[in-house]
Amino acid sequence: MAPTRNDILALVQEDRVHRDLYLSEELFRLEQRHFFANTWNFVGHASQVPNPGDYVAVEIAGQPLLMVRQPDASIRVLNNRCAHKGMPLATDACGSTGKFFRCPYHAWTYKLDGSPLAIPIKNGYEGTRLKECASGQGMGALANVEVYRDFVFAKVNEGGPDFRSYFGDVLGAIDNLVDRSPTGKLKVEGGILRNVIHCNWKMYLENINDTVHPQSAHESATAAANILWQGKPVDEPKPMAMEQILPFGAGYDFFDRMGGRVYPNGHSMLGVNFSIHSGYAQVPEYEAALVAAHGAERTAEILQRSPQNSVCFPSLSVKSSPQAIRVIRPLAAERTLIEAWSFRAEGAPDVLFERSMTYNRLVFSPMSVVAHDDVHLFESIQEGLKAGRNEWISLHRDFDPAELEGGTREVNGTSELLMRNQFRAWAQYMTADMA
Ligand code: FES
Ligand SMILES: [Fe+2]
């Protein structure tokens, strides 16, 4: 029998969550239908589809979709399904369809907005019900799509919160990333690093806010960097990779003092006060370009803000410096695709883009010196959780009953409130349309 609303709510307690959230395929199927369909998820970036007819194929809530640039320069998100018998209109991950979509099966065609264009030997449909059926209406477009500063989001289900009320103040993380471009324009560049990890998507997302693990889990990487760097004068400029790896070993106190903030609906910002990115070398030429665009005061404000991770729950994590995002794409209960994207800021010197690429390669890519620690842990935990006598994952650190009121709240950087906040939002949206 399928779990009821109450069964699901019982899996998320105030200070712990049940292991089924990571292990159960049945729960994953329900997540696709309820949780992911009811939340706003990241689709792609406008710079991926510069010209009319350009598309990117994605899957959200288990549904195949296409982000398509329109002739009027707007962006639509269409069902990637021929209205005839279900063939996807695009089978490549991205590309250009030209002026229209043409199904490879029986050659039905569609305009770029998904509406029907032509059907071969169409007199066979005269007098039939085709026009009144969904099969005669074209591919169908999602009604809930928002392009926020070139970041495209969609919600599959109708109803529920609109884009602004869903994300609220966490949109400041995207603002800070975009404002770091002197022209206000970013471009996805250098390829997207993809890593399929055999773990539940929530474990990855939870780890993004886990500041207690680097000291132990990433000890070998930081120890090696420390050995290489020891004895250098304090003012010696660090090579980029050294600058990026050394702070991982900064210690519990550093991570605690960086501070965290939770927002309604599972969103968060880690590193409210400072972060492992705050000590990156200044680039005078870049700062001059920003000052020319925004003025000195605004430039200082933009650069001073350098959070570790801002989570736009449940699919996007933003690092405004070093201009990188991670996209979380769930595939199954125990399989998640993680994408690491680099951005080039228009009008900024190459070194900024190099910083973004270097960070992704060093820390997030499958061959990185950091991610392999995490991947090993995540995949092992999926097995460890199957042990008997304890079906719960602890989230007790710094629990405070007052936090149950919800809302925006600031805490120390090692608090597990940022994780509890995600699971509470999960329970809320998972059950939003359940009887
Ligand atoms: S399935 Fe597309 S034209 Fe038949
Ligand atoms: Fe890690």
Side-chain angles (χ1 to χ4, degrees):
M1 215 168 71
T4 64
R5 185 172 193 275
N6 282 342
D7 293 339
I8 285 167
L9 291 174
L11 300 173
V12 178
Q13 299 187 354
E14 58 185 24
D15 51 11
R16 60 180 194 168
V17 294
H18 194 269
R19 66 181 179 186
D20 281 359
L21 265 74
Y22 294 166
L23 299 180
S24 164
E25 289 295 348
E26 184 185 13
L27 214 50
F28 182 78
R29 278 192 294 277
L30 288 172
E31 270 177 346
Q32 293 284 43
R33 206 164 82 224
H34 298 281
F35 174 78
F36 286 106
N38 286 328
T39 49
W40 284 89
N41 287 273
F42 178 69
V43 182
H45 191 259
S47 66
Q48 294 176 288
V49 288
N51 302 308
D54 289 350
Y55 67 83
V56 170
V58 292
E59 198 184 283
I60 293 176
Q63 302 187 13
L65 300 168
L66 290 173
M67 173 176 91
V68 187
R69 180 72 75 173
Q70 301 296 305
D72 69 357
S74 65
I75 288 175
R76 279 178 170 245
V77 179
L78 311 177
N79 293 312
N80 189 9
R81 180 214 197 271
C82 180
H84 185 209
K85 295 191 197 287
M87 178 66 198
L89 273 312
T91 48
D92 287 339
C94 59
S96 171
T97 189
K99 289 191 168 24
F100 56 87
F101 289 100
R102 180 180 185 271
C103 181
Y105 200 2
H106 314 95
W108 286 26
T109 54
Y110 303 89
K111 293 183 192 161
L112 294 182
D113 65 2
S115 57
L117 187 58
I119 295 179
I121 48 170
K122 70 170 195 242
N123 45 7
Y125 290 102
E126 272 164 27
T128 73
R129 289 201 303 141
L130 178 73
K131 272 218 171 84
E132 298 99 73
C133 289
S135 310
Q137 321 269 309
M139 296 161 68
L142 294 195
N144 291 310
V145 175
E146 183 86 19
V147 183
Y148 183 79
R149 303 200 71 178
D150 282 349
F151 285 73
V152 183
F153 291 86
K155 181 155 67 66
V156 166
N157 278 355
E158 316 260 314
D162 63 28
F163 175 80
R164 296 269 170 171
S165 29
Y166 179 76
F167 282 116
D169 289 341
V170 81
L171 291 175
I174 295 177
D175 290 334
N176 188 243
L177 174 57
V178 179
D179 289 345
R180 283 169 179 264
S181 161
T183 65
K185 280 277 165 198
L186 299 174
K187 200 165 171 245
V188 180
E189 240 182 80
I192 294 171
L193 297 171
R194 293 188 166 85
N195 196 358
V196 174
I197 306 177
H198 290 263
C199 75
N200 187 271
W201 62 274
K202 293 183 229 55
M203 194 186 301
Y204 191 92
L205 210 50
E206 175 197 321
N207 171 267
I208 289 177
N209 285 326
D210 187 319
T211 54
V212 181
H213 84 285
Q215 291 84 314
S216 40
H218 302 308
E219 193 181 3
S220 61
T222 50
N226 271 316
I227 290 166
L228 281 172
W229 197 247
Q230 71 192 1
K232 299 273 192 233
V234 188
D235 55 353
E236 171 124 354
K238 296 186 185 79
M240 192 177 277
M242 195 56 84
E243 186 178 74
Q244 294 182 336
I245 289 295
L246 281 172
F248 278 82
Y252 294 119
D253 182 55
F254 174 90
F255 286 103
D256 201 47
R257 283 186 294 109
M258 70 165 55
R261 184 184 296 149
V262 293
Y263 303 98
N265 299 323
H267 317 304
S268 58
M269 185 202 288
L270 177 67
V272 174
N273 307 317
F274 55 83
S275 77
I276 56 170
H277 310 303
S278 303
Y280 292 174
Q282 295 182 329
V283 182
E285 185 195 346
Y286 169 54
E287 290 188 30
L290 276 183
V291 169
H294 302 296
E297 201 180 321
R298 179 86 187 103
T299 298
E301 242 174 62
I302 292 167
L303 294 181
Q304 187 274 333
R305 185 175 165 166
S306 198
Q308 181 119 340
N309 292 306
S310 300
V311 173
C312 302
F313 188 72
S315 60
L316 177 68
S317 177
V318 177
K319 281 185 185 291
S320 49
S321 162
Q323 293 167 196
I325 61 170
R326 273 174 288 174
V327 184
I328 292 92
R329 306 217 189 253
L331 303 174
E334 303 197 65
R335 220 152 46 91
T336 305
L337 168 64
I338 300 299
E339 298 176 346
W341 299 36
S342 296
F343 287 101
R344 181 187 286 281
E346 248 184 40
D350 284 350
V351 67
L352 271 286
F353 177 59
E354 202 188 315
R355 197 176 260 174
S356 176
M357 291 286 290
T358 303
Y359 193 89
N360 276 338
R361 277 200 304 265
L362 271 174
V363 180
F364 296 146
S365 82
M367 67 287 196
S368 95
V369 297
V370 175
H372 71 246
D373 298 330
D374 294 311
V375 170
H376 173 69
L377 288 160
F378 301 156
E379 296 189 343
S380 304
I381 290 170
Q382 288 291 140
E383 297 312 309
L385 284 175
K386 292 165 189 163
R389 296 166 57 86
N390 181 3
E391 298 187 352
W392 297 89
I393 288 106
S394 163
L395 295 168
H396 297 84
R397 176 179 286 280
D398 292 307
F399 172 72
D400 173 359
E403 74 190 40
L404 296 171
E405 287 160 26
T408 300
R409 220 176 155 78
E410 295 220 356
V411 287
N412 51 314
T414 61
S415 168
E416 286 180 339
L417 172 58
L418 282 71
M419 303 170 193
R420 293 190 290 271
N421 189 52
Q422 293 178 350
F423 287 109
R424 286 171 195 156
W426 178 85
Q428 178 191 339
Y429 284 94
M430 179 77 167
T431 57
D433 57 356
M434 274 185 186

